[in-house]
Amino acid sequence: MSVIRQLQNHKKDMQQTRIQTRPMPELKPGEALLRISRLALTTNNVTYAAFGETPHLRYWDFYPTGDSEWFHMPAWGFAEVVESTVDGLAKGERFYGFWPIASHVVMQPVRVSERGFYDGAEHRLELTSAYNQYQRISSDAAYRAESENYQMLLRPLFITSFMLADFLDDNAFFSARQILMSSASSKTAYGTAFCLQDNPAVQTIGLTSPGNTDFVQGLGCYRQAVGYDQLASLDPSVPTLYVDFSGSADLRRQIHGHFKDALVYDCFAGSAQNHEYRETDQTLAGPQPQPYFAPYQIKKRNADWGPAEVTRRFNEAQRAFIARVSDAQQPWMQVHEHTGLEAAQALAESLIKGDINPLEGHAVVLD
């Protein structure tokens, strides 16, 4: 292919998308061309898009489009080296990482090792390093060729879930006896509940839309599933920790109003419903929402346990989670494959609209 094709979203209206075509550039010394093979598209990508300008996240800045009105919605997945001028990076090698929704990408690999490499492009040096790292599948102990779709769909969500559960446990759940999770049918939310399901210190309650309560209850990792319209049925005197995966300001106000002083902590972990949420509501009674950012807890645990032990614990938990989600008898997710960039475009628009089934996972095949 002599061109690079890219899916882009409009910054002021994410539902407005376009596919742009650009000439394939000549590689410069220190660069590599990778063909993007397959990507996972979930509500996680919508969160990336919604928080594209947030100072400590800056998701719009990883893959600049060259047009100030348009951005790339990044996605996790796999890509292969097509051409390389970098020592230690061979044609045909396959990597897992954070890519643009595009046919190809040119990178500047640095810190090349057995584990993989980092993209050393100048504009990425001040961005969160966890998103700049690319893992060789040949040295990834958690990689399984037959479950690539599950790995790319769940791994970036589950690292958030795993470290969030660890963060809450590390803080003794802020003295809460129960945890409320909104958007409980989302993969990041039920991944967190999966990690906490055997913890005797707290019970987890999944808050969800009335139509999803049976699905959430059927997962088995929440002690209880409650529709948003049933919030008032919960005992307001129980010390409660709220984990917000929805970004709904109205729901947050209801929760603060219902639990009042019994609400011990409000943890903002995602934005599945509200793409415009930016600032906290200073009029809220009780604890102000605190943003959760997985790389901060990863950094802490790297210091506490060492990177090798963090990776070992995460890989063990991830394998257990994938096994549960993909269980043939009672799957938590059914994977649907979509072929081509046009299919990715339609899927991205559906995700932004919220037109998704919680039981489905979506993989885009581009090679």
Side-chain angles (χ1 to χ4, degrees):
M1 180 181 284
S2 60
V3 296
I4 294 178
R5 303 180 72 225
Q6 304 172 334
L7 176 63
Q8 301 177 5
N9 296 69
H10 198 278
K11 290 182 178 180
K12 293 184 177 178
D13 179 9
M14 291 194 299
Q15 291 187 38
Q16 186 179 341
T17 64
R18 68 182 185 183
I19 295 176
Q20 292 288 93
T21 300
R22 298 187 173 181
M24 188 74 71
E26 289 281 338
L27 284 192
K28 301 172 185 175
E31 292 184 338
L33 174 68
L34 292 98
R35 183 187 72 247
I36 298 168
S37 173
R38 60 179 60 217
L39 299 169
L41 285 187
T42 71
T43 52
N44 195 39
N45 302 88
V46 179
T47 298
Y48 293 148
F51 291 87
E53 290 185 301
T54 303
H56 71 289
L57 301 176
R58 295 177 55 189
Y59 292 118
W60 291 352
D61 294 345
F62 283 90
Y63 294 103
T65 64
D67 186 327
S68 62
E69 294 185 350
W70 296 82
F71 71 94
H72 275 307
M73 183 189 293
W76 294 90
F78 296 91
E80 291 185 356
V81 177
V82 174
E83 188 179 350
S84 172
T85 66
V86 180
D87 290 341
L89 221 62
K91 182 178 179 179
E93 284 196 281
R94 195 168 181 86
F95 290 84
Y96 168 82
F98 195 60
W99 315 99
I101 303 176
S103 62
H104 297 76
V105 64
V106 175
M107 307 188 105
Q108 298 176 32
V110 297
R111 299 166 61 183
V112 179
S113 67
E114 180 184 357
R115 179 181 174 87
F117 68 88
Y118 286 78
D119 187 3
E122 185 176 354
H123 72 275
R124 295 182 70 163
L125 297 181
E126 59 184 24
L127 302 176
T128 304
S129 64
Y131 296 107
N132 293 337
Q133 183 177 356
Y134 295 83
Q135 170 83 50
R136 294 182 198 267
I137 64 167
S138 58
S139 63
D140 183 356
Y143 177 79
R144 302 290 185 273
E146 68 277 7
S147 61
E148 274 195 350
N149 284 341
Y150 285 100
Q151 290 171 75
M152 66 185 190
L153 278 162
L154 297 175
R155 183 171 182 162
L157 306 176
F158 191 65
I159 189 66
T160 297
S161 301
F162 178 79
M163 298 312 302
L164 174 56
D166 179 68
F167 165 74
L168 297 176
D169 190 30
D170 195 26
N171 287 278
F173 303 103
F174 300 91
S175 300
R177 288 185 12 228
Q178 67 182 13
I179 299 176
L180 291 184
M181 298 186 196
S182 59
S183 291
S185 65
S186 70
K187 299 170 186 64
T188 314
Y190 68 64
T192 307
F194 175 84
C195 293
L196 295 173
Q197 63 183 347
D198 297 323
N199 193 311
V202 289
Q203 68 167 346
T204 56
I205 299 175
L207 288 173
T208 189
S209 59
N212 283 338
T213 52
D214 288 346
F215 171 78
V216 170
Q217 191 69 54
L219 291 171
C221 55
Y222 294 100
R223 304 282 180 88
Q224 185 180 358
V226 175
Y228 294 126
D229 58 345
Q230 299 174 313
L231 177 63
S233 68
L234 297 175
D235 185 345
S237 68
V238 178
T240 298
L241 190 160
Y242 176 45
V243 182
D244 180 10
F245 290 101
S246 72
S248 169
D250 182 59
L251 177 61
R252 180 180 296 108
R253 283 191 293 271
Q254 290 181 50
I255 288 170
H256 279 251
H258 181 69
F259 288 98
K260 298 184 172 63
D261 292 342
L263 188 68
V264 297
Y265 193 79
D266 182 336
C267 178
F268 181 66
S271 184
Q273 296 175 12
N274 183 358
H275 307 156
E276 302 302 325
Y277 176 81
R278 291 293 186 275
E279 303 294 335
T280 59
D281 182 351
Q282 299 298 325
T283 66
L284 286 173
Q288 286 296 306
Q290 300 298 316
Y292 160 75
F293 193 44
Y296 293 165
Q297 187 69 6
I298 294 171
K299 183 178 181 179
K300 181 181 186 300
R301 286 314 197 189
N302 280 340
D304 292 344
W305 302 336
E309 178 63 10
V310 172
T311 299
R312 187 197 68 78
R313 293 191 190 197
F314 172 71
N315 285 347
E316 181 181 356
Q318 178 189 242
R319 285 193 292 268
F321 186 57
I322 289 176
R324 179 60 196 87
V325 169
S326 61
D327 179 78
Q329 300 303 314
Q330 191 183 2
W332 284 3
M333 182 174 68
Q334 297 169 348
V335 176
H336 297 268
E337 289 192 348
H338 307 256
T339 303
L341 209 56
E342 286 76 12
Q345 183 178 23
L347 177 58
E349 291 172 359
S350 294
L351 284 166
I352 293 166
K353 293 175 185 174
D355 184 18
I356 52 172
N357 182 333
L359 188 59
E360 296 177 348
H362 297 278
V364 175
V365 180
L366 295 171
D367 58 4

